[in-house]
Amino acid sequence: MAAKRYHVTTFGCQMNEHDSERMKGMLDSLGYAEASERSEADLILFNTCSIRESADSRFIAHLGEAKRLKSEDPARVVGVGGCWAQSVKDEVFRRFPFVDVAFGPGQIHRLAEFLTSDSLSAQGYFEFEDFAGHLPMKRAREFQGWIQISQGCNCACSYCIVPSTRGREQSRDPDEVLAEVERLAADGVLEVTLLGQNVNSYGRDLALERRISFSELLARVDAVEGIERLRYTSPHPKDMKEDVVRAHAELRSLCQHIHLPLQSGSSAVLKRMRRTYDRRRYMDRVALIREHVPDCALTTDIIVGFPGETEEDFAETLEVAEEVGYDGAFTFVFSPRRGTEAAEMEGMLPHAVKRERMQRLVEVVQRRATERGQRFVGRTMEVLVEGPSRNDPARLRGRTRHNKTVNFDGTAAPGELVDVEITGATSTTLSGAERLLSRAL
Ligand code: SAH
Ligand code: SF4
Ligand code: F3S
């Protein structure tokens, strides 16, 4: 009998991408094979996100196709995991009766249990139990790896659904993290990204004798031979302390890039967002970074149109974006999420106001990012090659240590570190040409 085939569609953040790698690894070890099209799969899986309404609607559209495929062949199994599933829990089965299994982000390992059980009656698993770290993994790229260092989030940002979908923060044991880094390095991984909702609060919940700080964890990972590039996401500005900033200057592998989510430039809005820092403290962090790592790339997340955001509040966000000069920013229109405090707040803004503010913000962000990008022109930068360029398959694509995508002429293979002479910069990408033989000279 031919192997059963699965298809996984992933929505949301890197944490979800990583969870999907675990799902795929586990399915491979159960003897399943990956199907390239959903229509060819016996097992159709979705790893869902619920961060904004747009994430929900995108997923629901895909689920409609799974329903159709299942009606064509009722033997097909449909599974829904991740944050959206967690946020609606058993309601999944009531609203979408063709779904066979649903599980939250902390129960990936239960999928195997479900698939190997005799009766496949619809089941849901929603209590966080364990890190998926012990599960096999199928990496998207053999030279890059993600490592989850914590689960959940103890912050109470009033707009955010994540604390309710991923639960309280739990740090992984440092030895376990290190063992995974060593395994990846032995496997040929050059670049690792440490993942958590608030990575720099890492360790605080560990037993005293096991406890290390985030900067110590960075130092230990840096010491693992073979790891050329170390990244992490996301830190919280409130926990961005000097030791972590200095690590960017001192550790060989730690990249020159910090993602420092701003959310708003207005202290009044930040307060209602429950971010626990104000504009001044945020700018102090930026100054600290610029002091120790002057060339560091800075990126951010910004929410536009939070309830009650006045024109003056928004003008402050524009000022901060102007002042910092981010190398890139993810900008979001506020989206009320079920069960969050902000969804009940007064002062919801009309769609047209949010859209207009978004346009003005994007204009500033892009202009500043283009200006900032010019500092790379004329320099030779180390690029980790990822594959062919998206727009022009005759060229290559890779990333600098500053996390800038570079499209360039060259002959290198994916996974190679090469020197690229930068000749141009837009708001999002750099372009250039590989310096051939540069390493041999
Ligand atoms: N834990 C990370 C990432 C959270 S989700 C962090 O705190 O940085 C990624 C981004 O989505 C957030 O930084 C925020 O900018 C945005 N976001 C979260 N909830 C949102 C909502 N309800 N509406 C609009 N944007 C939201
Ligand atoms: Fe959400 Fe805030 Fe936690 Fe980030 S830090 S996951 S925005 S609650
Ligand atoms: Fe990530 Fe979306 Fe969950 S952003 S943590 S998958 S709600």
Side-chain angles (χ1 to χ4, degrees), residues 51-52 159-160 197 234-235 261 263 275 301-303 332-335 337:
I51 198 78
R52 287 169 294 276
Y159 51 81
C160 185
Q197 297 303 336
S234 292
Q263 313 302 0
R275 288 292 286 177
D301 292 347
I302 299 173
I303 298 177
F332 309 104
V333 168
F334 170 74
S335 170
R337 303 287 56 212

Side-chain angles (χ1 to χ4, degrees), residues 51 153-157 159-163 197-198 236 263 275:
I51 198 78
C153 183
N154 284 358
C155 295
C157 303
Y159 51 81
C160 185
I161 199 168
V162 173
Q197 297 303 336
N198 177 2
H236 193 298
Q263 313 302 0
R275 288 292 286 177

Side-chain angles (χ1 to χ4, degrees), residues 209-373:
E209 68 279 8
R210 316 283 315 150
R211 187 177 303 167
I212 62 169
S213 67
F214 182 57
S215 63
E216 285 171 62
L217 183 69
L218 289 174
R220 290 200 197 174
V221 174
D222 178 68
V224 175
E225 206 173 319
I227 300 300
E228 296 292 330
R229 289 181 170 197
L230 171 56
R231 303 183 187 278
Y232 57 83
T233 197
S234 292
H236 193 298
K238 79 175 163 67
D239 296 314
M240 198 67 196
K241 302 279 158 60
E242 187 167 337
D243 57 339
V244 177
V245 174
R246 292 180 80 104
H248 282 267
E250 289 161 6
L251 299 179
R252 176 193 53 88
S253 66
L254 191 57
C255 288
Q256 288 71 32
H257 169 224
I258 297 179
H259 183 72
L260 198 65
L262 169 69
Q263 313 302 0
S264 169
S266 152
S267 297
V269 172
L270 286 168
K271 189 155 190 195
R272 275 183 287 125
M273 286 178 162
R274 295 195 188 282
R275 288 292 286 177
T276 70
Y277 55 84
D278 59 11
R279 175 176 173 173
R280 217 198 66 218
R281 272 191 62 197
Y282 183 90
M283 292 310 292
D284 286 349
R285 300 291 126 201
V286 173
L288 191 71
I289 294 168
R290 297 266 197 252
E291 180 194 334
H292 291 285
V293 202
D295 190 38
C296 194
L298 272 178
T299 56
T300 200
D301 292 347
I302 299 173
I303 298 177
V304 165
F306 190 77
E309 182 189 74
T310 63
E311 179 55 34
E312 290 72 32
D313 290 323
F314 176 66
E316 292 206 62
T317 299
L318 288 182
E319 277 168 29
V320 172
E322 190 76 56
E323 229 175 290
V324 174
Y326 293 104
D327 291 84
F330 297 107
T331 50
F332 309 104
V333 168
F334 170 74
S335 170
R337 303 287 56 212
R338 54 193 163 274
T340 63
E341 198 187 340
E344 309 296 322
M345 284 181 183
E346 294 190 355
M348 292 292 165
L349 297 178
H351 188 66
V353 172
K354 294 198 257 191
R355 210 178 40 214
E356 189 261 346
R357 286 184 188 168
M358 177 59 104
Q359 278 171 3
R360 283 155 66 199
L361 176 62
V362 167
E363 191 275 319
V364 174
V365 163
Q366 287 185 348
R367 176 169 48 72
R368 293 296 281 128
T370 308
E371 286 163 13
R372 289 285 293 162

Side-chain angles (χ1 to χ4, degrees), residues 32-329:
Y32 281 73
E34 187 167 5
S36 54
E37 302 290 332
R38 187 181 291 152
S39 57
E40 292 162 4
D42 306 288
L43 169 63
I44 298 174
L45 283 175
F46 296 94
N47 196 8
T48 61
C49 171
S50 204
I51 198 78
R52 287 169 294 276
E53 204 181 331
S54 53
D56 285 6
S57 25
R58 209 170 317 137
F59 156 64
I60 302 291
H62 281 262
L63 195 57
E65 205 218 4
K67 179 181 183 183
R68 187 178 56 75
L69 291 169
K70 174 129 184 163
S71 67
E72 281 169 14
D73 177 4
R76 279 196 167 107
V77 173
V78 176
V80 179
C83 290
W84 177 86
Q86 182 74 30
S87 74
V88 298
K89 297 197 177 163
D90 290 324
E91 234 183 89
V92 178
F93 302 120
R94 196 167 46 71
R95 285 170 58 189
F96 306 100
F98 55 93
V99 170
D100 300 290
V101 58
F103 49 99
Q107 297 77 33
I108 292 171
H109 57 290
R110 304 292 295 270
L111 179 61
E113 212 173 286
F114 171 79
L115 292 171
T116 50
S117 77
D118 295 337
S119 61
L120 288 185
S121 56
Q123 286 188 40
Y125 304 103
F126 299 106
E127 294 305 315
F128 175 70
E129 284 163 9
D130 199 4
F131 284 104
H134 59 283
L135 294 176
M137 172 169 56
K138 184 170 180 170
R139 281 197 310 281
R141 293 209 184 97
E142 64 260 33
F143 50 90
Q144 288 170 328
W146 287 319
I147 294 171
Q148 190 182 356
I149 64 164
S150 62
Q151 158 80 23
C153 183
N154 284 358
C155 295
C157 303
S158 58
Y159 51 81
C160 185
I161 199 168
V162 173
S164 76
T165 61
R166 292 202 177 243
R168 301 286 295 168
E169 187 171 310
Q170 278 185 47
S171 301
R172 250 175 106 185
D173 187 273
D175 289 346
E176 219 183 278
V177 173
L178 262 297
E180 199 176 328
V181 177
E182 277 160 12
R183 262 199 316 274
L184 290 177
D187 233 18
V189 167
L190 297 177
E191 178 179 291
V192 293
T193 305
L194 308 182
L195 289 181
Q197 297 303 336
N198 177 2
V199 284
N200 48 359
S201 71
Y202 174 82
R204 286 184 202 152
D205 57 319
L206 290 172
L208 213 51
E209 68 279 8
R210 316 283 315 150
R211 187 177 303 167
I212 62 169
S213 67
F214 182 57
S215 63
E216 285 171 62
L217 183 69
L218 289 174
R220 290 200 197 174
V221 174
D222 178 68
V224 175
E225 206 173 319
I227 300 300
E228 296 292 330
R229 289 181 170 197
L230 171 56
R231 303 183 187 278
Y232 57 83
T233 197
S234 292
H236 193 298
K238 79 175 163 67
D239 296 314
M240 198 67 196
K241 302 279 158 60
E242 187 167 337
D243 57 339
V244 177
V245 174
R246 292 180 80 104
H248 282 267
E250 289 161 6
L251 299 179
R252 176 193 53 88
S253 66
L254 191 57
C255 288
Q256 288 71 32
H257 169 224
I258 297 179
H259 183 72
L260 198 65
L262 169 69
Q263 313 302 0
S264 169
S266 152
S267 297
V269 172
L270 286 168
K271 189 155 190 195
R272 275 183 287 125
M273 286 178 162
R274 295 195 188 282
R275 288 292 286 177
T276 70
Y277 55 84
D278 59 11
R279 175 176 173 173
R280 217 198 66 218
R281 272 191 62 197
Y282 183 90
M283 292 310 292
D284 286 349
R285 300 291 126 201
V286 173
L288 191 71
I289 294 168
R290 297 266 197 252
E291 180 194 334
H292 291 285
V293 202
D295 190 38
C296 194
L298 272 178
T299 56
T300 200
D301 292 347
I302 299 173
I303 298 177
V304 165
F306 190 77
E309 182 189 74
T310 63
E311 179 55 34
E312 290 72 32
D313 290 323
F314 176 66
E316 292 206 62
T317 299
L318 288 182
E319 277 168 29
V320 172
E322 190 76 56
E323 229 175 290
V324 174
Y326 293 104
D327 291 84

